[in-house]
Amino acid sequence: MKVDFKEKNPALVSLFENPGQTIFLDANFLIPPDRTKVGAKSVPFLKYCEIWLDPVFDSFSDLAMHESVYGELVEDHVKRYADVKCQESPPGLKVYSDTDLNAAEAALMQTYISRISPFSKYIPALKNSDDKGEVLSLSYMASKGFLYFASDDHLPIQLIRKADELGTGLQDMCVLEMFDVIFYLYRTGKYDNKGLRLLYKYQYYLTKREKLLNPEWGEFIREMNLLYPE
């Protein structure tokens, strides 16, 4: 993935001011990244919790998922973690269902699905699993007026940021990538910067290509601090 910080992310600006806003999560924000195919070691789930999941859930009080994404959490440790967050009082993670929609919203959601799905591998008539979570999440959010989707997947990033070009109707929404949230956690000064640096390197500065494409940690922090002054 490319670290693109040429322009401010309005979602990140808004969350610095009010971190209590609703943020919908993609499954890849809860599932530890696996880059063993490029020679890296896998990330133990407990370590991922320590440097990423626990700080994220500590920092943002209104995290959410669409039921289609929640259904993608099939690994035992990830599913247990999500279940525990759902059962907290108040819930650390809210799961939204299509049954929450009224008739007008349900019709609107189908319109968004028809606009979005042609750019994905999801075929509504077949209800296949490919890209289902992303398409249904974004369609549900747009129907309900939710604004922020956190994902490191190319598809939702493009569907939101190229909404005008693609005609997806998602112009009002914003996407938060993992590097945005890594910087947010760093800026709070509450968490392990070494762990955040290791996660950044694992995600964005691991291969030769990524080292040519993306800034190293120190430069990343300097550039982000310039873009988002305190």
Side-chain angles (χ1 to χ4, degrees):
M1 294 294 291
K2 178 177 172 55
V3 177
D4 186 359
F5 45 51
K6 293 179 182 178
E7 297 180 357
K8 286 185 178 181
N9 184 340
L12 189 54
V13 173
S14 183
L15 288 167
F16 274 128
E17 297 175 354
N18 178 14
Q21 299 176 81
T22 304
I23 306 170
F24 273 70
L25 303 178
D26 202 350
N28 53 42
F29 256 55
L30 268 77
I31 300 171
D34 183 357
R35 309 207 63 193
T36 54
K37 290 183 179 179
V38 295
K41 295 181 179 179
S42 59
V43 179
F45 185 70
L46 290 178
K47 189 66 176 177
Y48 190 62
C49 290
E50 176 188 335
I51 65 177
W52 177 247
L53 288 181
D54 291 345
V56 166
F57 277 90
D58 180 58
S59 295
F60 303 107
S61 59
D62 197 1
L63 297 175
M65 270 188 170
H66 184 261
E67 58 184 350
S68 60
V69 171
Y70 194 71
E72 295 176 358
L73 306 179
V74 295
E75 295 182 24
D76 287 345
H77 46 275
V78 178
K79 183 66 164 58
R80 283 197 299 270
Y81 187 94
D83 287 344
V84 168
K85 291 300 177 184
C86 288
Q87 293 163 9
E88 291 176 346
S89 182
L93 178 66
K94 299 175 184 175
V95 179
Y96 287 85
S97 170
D98 292 348
T99 58
D100 302 328
L101 300 169
N102 60 37
E105 290 168 340
L108 189 57
M109 181 172 177
Q110 292 306 312
T111 299
Y112 281 112
I113 291 173
S114 67
R115 289 184 178 182
I116 293 171
S117 58
F119 303 104
S120 73
K121 296 178 182 178
Y122 178 62
I123 303 173
L126 300 179
K127 297 183 179 181
N128 56 305
S129 60
D130 295 341
D131 295 334
K132 178 180 179 180
E134 289 86 352
V135 171
L136 296 189
S137 289
L138 295 177
S139 298
Y140 179 93
M141 291 174 62
S143 301
K144 281 286 194 180
F146 290 111
L147 299 177
Y148 305 131
F149 189 62
S151 176
D152 243 18
D153 189 278
H154 179 75
L155 175 64
I157 293 171
Q158 295 304 304
L159 291 173
I160 292 172
R161 292 188 175 159
K162 294 185 176 181
D164 286 327
E165 178 183 339
L166 301 178
T168 61
L170 304 180
Q171 289 89 339
D172 292 335
M173 292 175 59
C174 295
V175 64
L176 287 156
E177 297 183 62
M178 181 174 274
F179 73 82
D180 290 312
V181 182
I182 287 175
F183 178 69
Y184 181 97
L185 297 177
Y186 168 86
R187 174 63 70 78
T188 68
K190 295 170 58 179
Y191 307 108
D192 178 13
N193 287 344
K194 181 180 178 181
L196 295 173
R197 176 176 59 82
L198 290 174
L199 181 59
Y200 173 86
K201 181 177 180 180
Y202 193 85
Q203 281 288 78
Y204 300 106
Y205 203 72
L206 195 59
T207 67
K208 289 182 179 179
R209 181 178 180 275
E210 288 168 348
K211 290 179 180 178
L212 293 173
L213 189 66
N214 294 327
E216 53 83 28
W217 172 255
E219 183 184 352
F220 166 70
I221 293 299
R222 285 192 295 273
E223 292 295 328
M224 292 292 275
N225 275 327
L226 289 173
L227 194 60
Y228 304 95
E230 293 188 65

